[in-house]
Amino acid sequence: MNKRGDLLNNILGVVIAVIGILVIFGGAYMLYQKYVNQESEKAKNTIDVLEAKINAIEVGQSTEALVRGLPGWFVAGWGKAITTKPDKCFLSICLCICKGSAVQEADKVKVCQNNGFCRKIAGDDNFDADTIVFLRDNFYSVTIKKVEGEISLKENE
Amino acid sequence: MVSDKKGEITSTQIVMIVLAIAGFAIVLYLFFFLDFGEMGKRETCHLSVLTRGTVAGAVGGSQSLVPLECITDKICITDSLFGKCSNQFAGEKDITVVRLSGGVEEKRIKIEEISANAMYDCWNMMGQGKIDIFGNFYTENGLESNQATCVVCSRIALDESVIVDILNKVSVNEYMRTHNIPGKEITYLQAFTDKGINSYAQVSATPGGIENFQKKLEGEDKIAVEGAKSEAVVKDKVNRELAFVFMQVRTDEKKSTEGILKNIGLTGATAAGATFMMPVIGNMGSALYALAGGIVLGTAKEIYGAFNAYESQITAAGYCGAFQSAKEGHWEGCSVVNSVNYDFKAINSICKVIQGNP
């Protein structure tokens, strides 16, 4: 009996099964992102807004950003020349949003390395960034300014 | 008997495979690439509001598990070909740019139309104030209840090209009184209140008139609002960005909003049962965006709501009463939609918590 090519008879079933598995896993991942990972998504949104605002302005310009606070998180930044910063920043100007305490500089670096989202900012400028500790769940205002050789990010009181 | 089982694919099988892959590709395309635009965002937000409200009423339902899928609309109104409100929206995505055309009157009407629609859409999207959206979110997260919680529905920014002469003529309140909602037989004012209502109550825009109005609003349950007042931002320049904010406050369990409605009634608000529009401050033709300053009522334990007095020249619309999706125990509260300067002090003085995706 020649049983060559049995697989070909079942190929349709295999294709549909693979597609179905991909859809199920994809859907489960999206549900996880949406419902279980809400806080992380909000944190990423906040840091993305700040990064976009920094990149949108030219030297000599400033802009204000309103971001929603996330109690338990803080925003911190490091310039290119700073060596003590999260490894994920590597050798760049870096802005991070991190979950945890920001009392000491060493704490900030460790917390951001382990539990933060960082964005690299292009350029060689100094980066003078306030550490913004989110204590409440409404708006925080930040002024971002670019002058020759420096980017500053200051929390407005 | 020898049977030949070489693996030939029949034409039927080929067709089925192709159809299956094509169908999957179409579903993927619909999922990732079709942009239903503003309508899609509004409907998504509304659906999440309804879901939250349903969860609130369900035994063991947890509102904090249901995120509000409400993304703030960003609208830039410009009078130039290349304007894009870069002062307000630098670096931000998904901006809807509306270019004004025609004479001063046409431009004025366009600004009024956009503002009125923003307010009305916000109200509808959030369930017309009757759904308990934030109720047990507080207790689940160990927060103090009865805090004013807000969703920023939209931001409307005016590009520098829109001249002050046009802004000085804008009156959204008058537009809402005299124009029908697109596709409906009623005006915006009637939609917020009642079909039979055709005018606003007014409050004199004098310091005495406004103070008197504030006192009536606070009523007998006078709460300490000095803190909130100190947060007011006084500006003497044209404000070029407004936020349309939906705000909701729940009363303590089983506490009625009857007293609050009575106080609102005392101010002369245009009321129809549990829904109302606050009196218009000053002259109906007052400028929309060139406003002086704000005294904002804060919230407190005896909460009845947070309404701005003359923060913006657009009157606020609201509902006070039982929430439809409340769990047993007769939860009541107040919901308001109003416009606020897009300024963190102004918004934070009335919104202790912000939800959605501003």
Side-chain angles (χ1 to χ4, degrees):
Chain A
M1 209 175 199
N2 186 348
K3 287 212 175 256
R4 266 163 45 184
D6 273 352
L7 177 63
L8 287 173
N9 291 332
N10 297 312
I11 197 160
L12 177 63
V14 170
V15 167
I16 290 173
V18 168
I19 290 170
I21 289 168
L22 285 174
V23 166
I24 287 168
F25 276 106
Y29 176 72
M30 285 171 61
L31 277 172
Y32 171 79
Q33 286 291 102
K34 197 186 264 300
Y35 293 103
V36 178
N37 227 8
Q38 290 177 43
E39 206 177 57
S40 296
E41 290 305 306
K42 288 176 199 169
K44 284 182 200 170
N45 283 341
T46 298
I47 202 71
D48 286 343
V49 165
L50 290 174
E51 182 199 12
K53 289 281 187 185
I54 291 172
N55 290 334
I57 57 171
E58 304 291 334
V59 174
Q61 294 181 334
S62 68
T63 188
E64 185 185 1
L66 259 63
V67 292
R68 183 178 152 190
L70 266 176
W73 292 70
F74 64 90
V75 167
W78 292 269
K80 192 168 181 174
I82 307 279
T83 51
T84 312
K85 59 187 175 190
D87 294 339
K88 53 181 93 171
C89 295
F90 199 46
L91 296 172
S92 307
I93 299 173
C94 190
L95 186 68
C96 301
I97 185 167
C98 320
K99 184 170 182 176
S101 168
V103 175
Q104 306 280 351
E105 185 61 33
D107 290 337
K108 276 194 272 183
V109 172
K110 192 174 169 186
V111 167
C112 289
Q113 180 60 33
N114 295 332
N115 207 2
F117 302 103
C118 295
R119 301 287 181 265
K120 294 178 193 169
I121 310 292
D124 297 324
D125 303 311
N126 290 335
F127 189 37
D128 177 19
D130 282 349
T131 297
I132 303 168
V133 178
F134 293 128
L135 298 172
R136 54 180 199 271
D137 198 1
N138 51 15
F139 276 132
Y140 284 76
S141 172
V142 172
T143 296
I144 298 165
K145 200 186 282 189
K146 273 187 186 169
V147 296
E148 195 64 47
E150 184 174 274
I151 302 170
S152 70
L153 188 145
K154 298 287 175 191
E155 182 185 355
N156 298 320
E157 298 294 334
Chain B
M1 189 173 168
V2 175
S3 62
D4 185 352
K5 286 222 175 244
K6 270 196 207 161
E8 278 185 20
I9 303 176
T10 65
S11 54
T12 307
Q13 285 171 329
I14 291 171
V15 167
M16 295 295 281
I17 291 168
V18 168
L19 280 177
I21 292 172
F24 183 57
I26 288 169
V27 167
L28 271 182
Y29 172 77
L30 287 172
F31 200 70
F32 286 110
F33 296 111
L34 267 190
D35 176 16
F36 294 98
E38 300 307 317
M39 182 74 80
K41 277 201 288 188
R42 280 201 290 274
E43 290 306 316
T44 303
C45 174
H46 187 56
L47 185 60
S48 69
V49 165
L50 291 175
T51 306
R52 263 238 178 149
T54 308
V55 163
V59 173
S62 173
Q63 285 186 317
S64 57
L65 283 182
V66 182
L68 277 183
E69 298 292 337
C70 300
I71 301 172
T72 302
D73 269 346
K74 296 168 206 165
I75 302 169
C76 167
I77 301 177
T78 179
D79 202 9
S80 84
L81 198 56
F82 302 108
K84 47 185 180 173
C85 303
S86 48
N87 285 347
Q88 296 95 338
F89 292 139
E92 299 191 50
K93 293 186 282 194
D94 300 327
I95 318 293
T96 302
V97 179
V98 177
R99 301 199 194 283
L100 299 175
S101 59
V104 169
E105 281 304 294
E106 285 87 355
K107 290 174 184 174
R108 168 186 70 81
I109 290 170
K110 191 66 182 173
I111 294 173
E112 291 169 352
E113 177 193 345
I114 291 169
S115 304
N117 284 336
M119 185 162 163
Y120 179 71
D121 287 342
C122 183
W123 189 239
N124 268 342
M125 202 165 65
M126 305 307 293
Q128 300 187 354
K130 295 174 183 134
I131 299 178
D132 180 8
I133 304 173
F134 309 117
N136 58 7
F137 174 84
Y138 296 105
T139 46
E140 286 165 12
N141 289 280
L143 298 171
E144 202 178 297
S145 62
N146 307 334
Q147 297 182 80
T149 304
C150 300
V151 171
V152 180
C153 295
S154 56
R155 291 161 58 189
I156 297 182
L158 294 164
D159 189 65
E160 293 294 329
S161 58
V162 181
I163 59 176
V164 174
D165 284 351
I166 298 173
L167 301 184
N168 282 337
K169 291 178 165 56
V170 167
S171 174
V172 178
N173 296 327
E174 181 63 6
Y175 184 91
M176 289 197 291
R177 188 184 74 82
T178 55
H179 287 72
N180 285 358
I181 296 166
K184 292 188 190 280
E185 298 292 317
I186 53 173
T187 65
Y188 293 86
L189 170 59
Q190 289 166 342
F192 283 121
T193 52
D194 181 82
K195 282 181 192 174
I197 293 181
N198 292 305
S199 63
Y200 296 102
Q202 289 207 38
V203 168
S204 165
T206 57
I210 291 169
E211 192 179 334
N212 195 35
F213 163 73
Q214 302 263 113
K215 280 182 182 163
K216 285 177 183 171
L217 192 58
E218 290 161 21
E220 289 162 7
D221 290 327
K222 184 162 172 54
I223 55 176
V225 298
E226 291 308 317
K229 284 180 183 174
S230 69
E231 294 293 329
V233 175
V234 179
K235 291 182 181 174
D236 57 4
K237 59 176 184 173
V238 173
N239 171 54
R240 286 185 177 268
E241 189 172 4
L242 276 189
F244 284 86
V245 175
F246 173 86
M247 182 171 25
Q248 189 174 81
V249 174
R250 200 172 71 169
T251 60
D252 285 325
E253 192 165 358
K254 296 190 180 153
K255 182 163 180 162
S256 163
T257 51
E258 205 177 293
I260 302 163
L261 278 170
K262 179 186 146 205
N263 293 340
I264 289 170
L266 287 174
T267 68
T270 310
T275 58
F276 56 87
M277 282 198 96
M278 297 305 288
V280 169
I281 307 292
N283 179 340
M284 290 278 279
S286 302
L288 163 64
Y289 291 88
L291 54 89
I295 291 180
V296 177
L297 298 179
T299 60
K301 294 247 181 221
E302 294 298 324
I303 207 52
Y304 63 77
F307 308 110
N308 56 9
Y310 60 82
E311 170 69 13
S312 159
Q313 300 288 349
I314 306 178
T315 183
Y319 164 85
C320 283
F323 290 135
Q324 280 178 0
S325 48
K327 66 176 188 178
E328 286 186 37
H330 192 56
W331 293 101
E332 291 197 11
C334 290
S335 306
V336 171
V337 61
N338 58 9
S339 59
V340 187
N341 280 349
Y342 192 67
D343 171 89
F344 81 105
K345 285 185 182 173
I347 295 177
N348 286 352
S349 60
I350 56 171
C351 301
K352 296 309 167 201
V353 179
I354 290 173
Q355 292 203 22
N357 296 307

